[in-house]
Amino acid sequence: MSDTPTAPVIVPDEPGTFPHGVLAERHPAIVRQVREAFPYEPAQHRALDALLADCATGTIEPLPAGAHDRERWRAWGMDTYAGRSWYDVPWLWSESWFYRRLLDAVGYFGPGPWQGVDPFRPSKLAELGSPATDEELAALDDLTGRPEDEQAAALLHGSLWGNRADLGFRLSAEGGGESAAVPALVADDTERLWTLLGTPAADTLCLVADNAGRELVPDLLLIAHLLAHGRIGRAVLHVKPYPYYVSDATTADVVDAVRRLTGAEGAAAAYGRGLWAALSDGRLTLRAHPFSCSPLPYTEMPDDLRADFAAAAVTVVKGDLNYRRLVEDRYWPPTTPFADVTRYFPGPVAALRTLKSDVITGLTAGTEAALTAAEEQRWRTSGTHALIQVRT
């Protein structure tokens, strides 16, 4: 990206900014939530209390010599940032470091009885089993009689918006906001995406998942539809190798979601059976690459991951965190072309994202002006706007 104009890396050092608020308020709340989610032992309580104090006023301390991933984190910048405040390093790095330390505090990496126990699992399962999920799955029955392209469009928007609204809403509201002064979809390259996922079938779709629960289910439904209707030959679903960012999807979360579908009624169960079969015969493959939990942007992806993306007809990058990693977590001018900041990516790439952080690229000057006039800068982080961006 040396020929792309640079922009400042987002650092959470300024009180009152969104990144500072995440470190100062959201992270302590997450520690308290995790502490209450399980009957952890006294040693874990002490470790959580120490983390709470450390991330508020302490400095970054290197992982101990015996840590299984110490060398990996050294390669990711641990030695560079050691001794500095959590607030004085890149926000992307500081957030990832927090979750690595949180898992250590609860004994996730073991050895011990709590090894491999996801501290976020109770909230994930509660969402997956909620009545709202029941309503969303029931809405699938209304899709079955519609033309294939309408089904695909509805499922794409389901994947885009995640758990913000049910499928019935998406079907009735599709296109309804296009004439608004401030559209819900601030950039829309849908047609370019369908060209990449057209007929004859694209060989491979890579989808980099974001959240578990009610946000993962629509991603899986979209994959199931694309496979069943021959728009793709196979799919590779990238998930996290361990719990991350509270709700990010792991392999266990994929299994939970597919079981939720197969245990439902009507169309949802058929989707679930299709996904189960696709996982079993290799048409749907899971990846859990260590870099998926790294504190680095995709500009620094390793060669094997680069090769995986290069082999795909398109890589769809889901969610806000993955978008930050895709375009580097910088204060880009919003009109910076998306294609310019993603030209390093080893193949066609699409971003499906609900806006929940400051970083943004690819807007027209008119769209940026309308958003700012109506909402000042709240549109960047409110989760009420979304985008579909494609670089071929």
Side-chain angles (χ1 to χ4, degrees), residues 6-359:
T6 190
V9 172
I10 297 177
V11 177
D13 57 349
E14 185 178 343
T17 62
F18 183 75
H20 187 281
V22 169
L23 264 64
E25 300 167 17
R26 185 182 297 178
H27 284 182
I30 290 168
V31 172
R32 289 190 288 269
Q33 172 190 326
V34 166
R35 184 185 175 115
E36 296 170 0
F38 288 98
Y40 286 126
E41 299 167 10
Q44 292 162 302
H45 287 160
R46 289 191 295 270
L48 288 168
D49 291 341
L51 174 60
L52 197 59
D54 194 31
C55 64
T57 59
T59 57
I60 293 166
E61 298 180 11
L63 297 173
H68 73 282
D69 53 353
R70 176 180 168 84
E71 291 307 310
R72 184 178 295 152
W73 275 93
R74 290 187 70 188
W76 289 345
M78 180 178 69
D79 292 348
T80 300
Y81 298 129
R84 295 168 63 174
S85 166
W86 293 55
Y87 291 87
D88 293 334
V89 303
W91 183 37
L92 186 62
W93 203 96
S94 189
E95 280 194 289
S96 292
W97 183 246
F98 168 79
Y99 287 101
R100 170 59 181 83
R101 290 285 310 278
L102 179 62
L103 292 178
D104 206 32
V106 298
Y108 180 87
F109 295 114
W114 293 91
Q115 185 176 20
V117 177
D118 183 349
F120 311 121
R121 185 167 172 78
S123 58
K124 290 175 177 178
L125 291 179
E127 181 182 283
L128 196 59
S130 68
T133 302
D134 291 332
E135 295 174 9
E136 183 152 317
L137 297 184
L140 290 170
D141 293 336
D142 297 332
L143 274 181
T144 55
R146 293 175 178 259
E148 187 276 333
D149 59 340
E150 289 186 22
Q151 295 182 42
L155 293 171
L156 177 66
H157 279 258
S159 178
L160 171 66
W161 288 104
N163 63 7
R164 274 203 59 239
D166 63 46
L167 279 169
F169 167 83
R170 295 182 199 114
L171 285 168
S172 62
E174 187 175 338
E178 291 177 358
S179 61
V182 182
L185 211 55
V186 301
D188 187 3
D189 292 338
T190 300
E191 292 309 313
R192 297 177 73 187
L193 179 58
W194 287 136
T195 298
L196 293 170
L197 297 173
T199 304
D203 179 30
T204 300
L205 162 70
C206 275
L207 193 149
V208 182
D210 186 34
N211 292 331
R214 288 181 62 209
E215 296 192 37
L216 179 60
V217 167
D219 296 343
L220 292 170
L221 294 173
L222 177 61
I223 288 172
H225 179 90
L226 297 176
L227 286 170
H229 291 272
R231 287 182 179 251
I232 57 175
R234 62 187 294 267
V236 180
L237 181 63
H238 286 258
V239 296
K240 301 299 189 297
Y242 51 78
Y244 192 61
Y245 276 70
V246 180
S247 56
D248 280 25
T250 65
T251 297
D253 298 319
V254 174
V255 174
D256 286 339
V258 174
R259 282 180 172 156
R260 180 72 165 88
L261 288 167
T262 58
E265 298 178 353
Y271 279 105
R273 290 191 296 270
L275 287 162
W276 195 281
L279 284 163
S280 300
D281 64 25
R283 286 175 296 126
L284 173 55
T285 305
L286 302 183
R287 294 274 196 277
H289 197 286
F291 190 78
S292 295
C293 286
S294 84
L296 305 176
Y298 279 109
T299 49
E300 301 185 46
M301 75 179 89
D303 290 343
D304 61 335
L305 187 58
R306 177 176 292 274
D308 213 15
F309 293 147
V314 61
T315 296
V316 174
V317 174
K318 275 294 310 292
D320 196 78
L321 172 61
N322 286 323
Y323 187 87
R324 290 165 56 193
R325 298 185 70 196
L326 179 66
V327 303
E328 298 194 316
D329 205 25
R330 296 176 179 270
Y331 285 116
W332 297 108
T335 55
T336 304
F338 177 73
D340 285 358
V341 296
T342 58
R343 65 160 58 103
Y344 72 91
F345 204 83
V349 63
L352 269 61
R353 175 213 183 190
T354 302
L355 277 58
K356 297 178 182 177
S357 66
D358 290 301
V359 66

